Amino acid sequence: MGLRSGQWYDGDDRNAYIHRAWMRRGGPEDAFERPQIAIANTASDFTPCNSHLWEAARSVKNGVHERGGTPLELPVVSLGETQMRPTAMLWRNMAAMATEEMLRANPIDAAVLLGGCDKTIPSLLMAAASVDLPALVVPGGPMLTGTFRGRPLGCGTDVWRLSEEVRGGTLSAEDFTRSEASMIRSRGHCNTMGTASTMALVAEALGVVIPGVAGTPAPDSRLLQSAHEAGRLAVDMIAADRRLSTILTKASFHNAIVALAAIGGSTNAVVHLLAIAGRLGIDLTLDDFDRIGSRVPVLVDLQPAGRFLMEDLHRAGGLLAVLNEVQDLLAPDAVTVTGKPLVDYVTGNTVWDQEVIRPRAEPLVAEGGIAVLRGNLAPDGALIKPAAASPHLLRHRGRAVVFDSIEDFHARVDDPDLDIDADSVMVLRGCGPKGYPGMPEVSNMPLPRKLLEQGVRDVVRVCDGRMSGTAYGTVVLHVAPEAAAGGPLALVRDGDPIVLDVPARLIALDIPAEVLAARTANQASLDAYASPTRGWERLYVDHVQQADTGADLDFLNGSSGSAVTRESH
């Protein structure tokens, strides 16, 4: 079988001449006879967690050269979680679509995908799955642990914690500001079990990362060694015709769900895994997450559910040591980018610190995987992460305190006259894919100052948006359908009794069905929904699907393959 890139470079006609001539920039004479390896690089100064990937790309190039390939760096859309407004999630699908088209349109035989920050690995995998070339991921890795006043700081998680202490009057604003310079100690993404760390580890469980690499700290020289190996492997994958469709199967998603539960991973991984599966036509549903993962024990004692940070997890044995504890729950037939089954790499990995990675007999949480809730408030499903919730709130009944938009929330949350107490259920709507737009990380609403001053640190919260993977609390999120898509969340009123029963998988309004059916949406909610008139936001709002299927665009379901039928000249 010839190389795909030969469709551009082979022959002696005018088009082949043009394709070759403009690429003769110092390469060897046989550069066009070699496999062409794209290095899809999300490095950007506006994505500080990924800024070091330029260095990783050089190591990938060295590995490609060593194996006889031609490396070609391809800068792709980079989504910085901490900077982009209104939310990086609004552009995940755009980044995936742009990367997909670039991989298809260019003379590329395989791709090495460099990502780290939350949306970059999901968008790269959605893109590569849609083109279905040989491809693998090199995760950028977490930052090293920062400290403040002798204590480790978890980026993200400690932002939420410390900011609540300031609002509650137990930490000065000056000390809060001083901690800022201590939190981000090095290159790399968040060092808690946020979305970035979760997606890197889940990608390894999916089989698209060289086993043992995910979780390697960004400054660790072994990350560059792994990037070099990824460059070599990309060339080998072409010879084996090892495309993503041969790796990403229902079995590999099974393993990803087990891993997600065992590490206490971010709820955001659910929406990303659903979207990746949708690009491959794999029948993955919310029910699979509950069926496979909800009763898997959480073994990793990492913030936000636990105490430690990603550097500690790497030191304690990493993902493979975690999976060795739950090996009997893994699908044995799921293979990796090396061509070997994942379970072959799992067996015999030692846990070097049982405080960080708990033995299965002594888990952090016995059944802490992400739970899928349903009821008349979320007919198509909602999520909660029990490991990050307060145990006493997992069965709860309280009256709703409703906010019609994020602006309404910010305007009223600290009003001393707000009618709220520790038993209330905070409801925020208009934050789903269509409504915001983009489904932002606002579901872990800060608590009212009056409750913080009373010593309250958690209440039940319900929202159609997401929350940061670094966040914690008893938060019901990803409510589907969202309010802006006609979901029942739009009909909740102040004082309505809301019942949460996580063991029973229930989230419900305890009011008669006929009363709910007679209601209409609050005008303040309707006025706050996104109504873009042009550009990407208009395309997004018109075509985005709901959270329960991955929040991809409806016309991007399924893949288009790698074929390009027409010439450019």
Side-chain angles (χ1 to χ4, degrees):
M1 182 182 68
L3 294 171
R4 177 177 182 269
S5 57
Q7 299 173 45
W8 280 258
Y9 295 136
D10 292 350
D12 55 9
D13 62 6
R14 184 182 67 177
N15 286 321
Y17 179 100
I18 290 171
H19 294 313
R20 291 191 301 263
W22 265 259
M23 293 296 286
R24 289 191 184 277
R25 309 278 174 147
E29 185 64 29
D30 64 348
F32 305 111
E33 300 168 20
R34 301 182 179 193
Q36 309 292 301
I37 311 299
I39 305 170
N41 192 351
T42 57
S44 167
D45 287 340
F46 283 104
T47 309
C49 300
N50 292 20
S51 60
H52 64 293
L53 293 179
W54 299 113
E55 184 180 16
R58 288 196 294 272
S59 292
V60 175
K61 287 181 179 179
N62 291 338
V64 172
H65 278 305
E66 181 183 320
R67 204 59 117 216
T70 298
L72 298 152
E73 198 158 354
L74 178 67
V76 294
V77 177
S78 185
L79 306 176
E81 193 66 32
T82 57
Q83 304 301 327
M84 300 188 76
R85 293 182 176 179
T87 170
M89 183 65 174
L90 176 60
W91 291 284
R92 182 203 66 178
N93 300 338
M94 182 191 74
M97 187 161 65
T99 303
E100 171 188 344
E101 299 302 341
M102 291 303 96
L103 292 176
R104 183 180 294 113
N106 282 293
I108 292 168
D109 299 304
V112 179
L113 313 172
L114 304 185
C117 191
D118 295 15
K119 308 303 178 296
T120 55
I121 288 178
S123 66
L124 290 169
L125 281 174
M126 291 163 69
S130 298
V131 183
D132 197 25
L133 292 172
L136 71 161
V137 174
V138 177
M143 66 182 73
L144 299 178
T145 301
T147 60
F148 180 62
R149 292 182 168 182
R151 289 184 56 190
L153 284 175
C155 57
T157 300
D158 276 322
V159 175
W160 317 130
R161 180 180 64 82
L162 295 175
S163 62
E164 293 288 64
E165 294 301 325
V166 173
R167 296 176 65 245
T170 58
L171 180 72
S172 71
E174 291 77 14
D175 281 345
F176 181 60
T177 302
R178 288 191 188 99
S179 72
E180 178 183 315
S182 307
M183 183 167 286
I184 311 302
R185 180 182 167 201
S186 74
R187 68 188 73 181
H189 60 65
C190 290
N191 58 7
T192 50
M193 191 56 74
T195 307
S197 296
T198 298
M199 287 309 302
L201 296 171
V202 165
E204 182 171 316
L206 277 173
V208 294
V209 175
I210 295 174
V213 170
T216 304
D220 194 315
S221 60
R222 287 169 290 186
L223 179 65
L224 300 181
Q225 177 184 344
S226 299
H228 186 108
E229 178 58 30
R232 295 192 296 191
L233 181 57
V235 178
D236 295 342
M237 290 175 71
I238 298 169
D241 196 26
R242 198 174 301 135
R243 301 167 180 267
L244 277 186
S245 60
T246 68
I247 299 164
L248 293 174
T249 63
K250 189 66 180 281
S252 64
F253 282 93
H254 175 108
N255 289 347
I257 293 170
V258 172
L260 175 63
I263 64 176
S266 166
T267 52
N268 290 311
V270 176
V271 77
H272 297 319
L273 287 171
L274 288 168
I276 295 165
R279 295 299 183 98
L280 293 153
I282 292 173
D283 181 24
L284 188 71
T285 69
L286 281 183
D287 291 335
D288 291 314
F289 287 85
D290 204 297
R291 175 179 57 84
I292 298 168
S294 65
R295 290 172 177 81
V296 174
V298 177
L299 302 180
V300 177
D301 191 346
L302 214 75
Q303 294 186 30
R307 298 171 292 166
F308 296 99
L309 296 165
M310 284 296 295
E311 190 177 351
D312 301 305
L313 176 60
H314 184 68
R315 168 181 57 81
L319 177 66
L320 295 182
V322 177
L323 294 182
N324 190 41
E325 292 290 310
V326 292
Q327 185 172 171
D328 60 301
L329 303 179
L330 297 175
D333 53 337
V335 299
T336 71
V337 287
T338 67
K340 298 178 181 178
L342 176 67
V343 293
D344 285 6
Y345 295 93
V346 168
T347 303
N349 279 273
T350 301
V351 174
W352 299 110
D353 187 336
Q354 293 191 350
E355 290 289 304
V356 180
I357 302 175
R358 302 287 189 89
R360 186 167 175 178
E362 302 174 22
L364 180 67
V365 182
E367 295 182 357
I370 291 164
V372 178
L373 311 176
R374 283 190 169 84
N376 65 356
L377 196 52
D380 293 337
L383 304 181
I384 190 169
K385 183 177 177 180
S390 299
H392 73 281
L393 292 174
L394 293 178
R395 277 196 174 103
H396 184 77
R397 177 188 172 93
R399 58 185 181 86
V401 178
V402 182
F403 301 94
D404 285 311
S405 66
I406 192 64
E407 291 78 17
D408 180 35
F409 171 79
H410 288 309
R412 295 195 293 124
V413 66
D414 286 334
D415 185 340
D417 295 326
L418 183 68
D419 185 13
I420 192 169
D421 58 34
D423 291 327
S424 299
V425 176
M426 297 172 68
V427 176
L428 175 59
R429 57 193 173 204
C431 301
K434 291 180 179 291
Y436 202 77
M439 205 182 174
E441 295 182 338
V442 296
S443 294
N444 61 316
M445 297 162 255
L447 301 189
R449 191 186 307 274
K450 64 191 292 183
L451 294 186
L452 292 170
E453 290 172 347
Q454 296 168 18
V456 177
R457 289 298 180 267
D458 194 14
V459 302
V460 175
R461 285 158 275 184
V462 180
C463 184
D464 48 9
R466 299 177 301 117
M467 75 175 180
S468 170
T470 65
Y472 55 88
T474 310
V475 182
V476 177
L477 64 168
H478 298 203
V479 172
E482 64 175 299
L489 198 66
L491 307 178
V492 183
R493 296 180 180 175
D494 283 336
D496 284 347
I498 292 178
V499 177
L500 170 65
D501 190 335
V502 175
R505 301 298 190 260
L506 177 69
I507 181 69
L509 271 175
D510 191 10
I511 61 174
E514 60 271 18
V515 173
L516 189 62
R519 290 182 178 178
T520 57
N522 189 339
Q523 189 60 45
S525 291
L526 298 174
D527 292 343
Y529 297 157
S531 55
T533 59
R534 64 180 299 276
W536 172 254
E537 287 194 23
R538 173 66 183 272
L539 183 67
Y540 181 92
V541 168
D542 287 350
H543 291 279
V544 71
Q545 298 175 302
Q546 291 295 287
D548 62 301
T549 59
D552 203 354
L553 302 189
D554 52 19
F555 59 81
L556 291 177
N557 289 333
S559 65
S560 299
S562 63
V564 180
T565 58
R566 286 181 164 174
E567 257 293 356
S568 55
H569 297 86

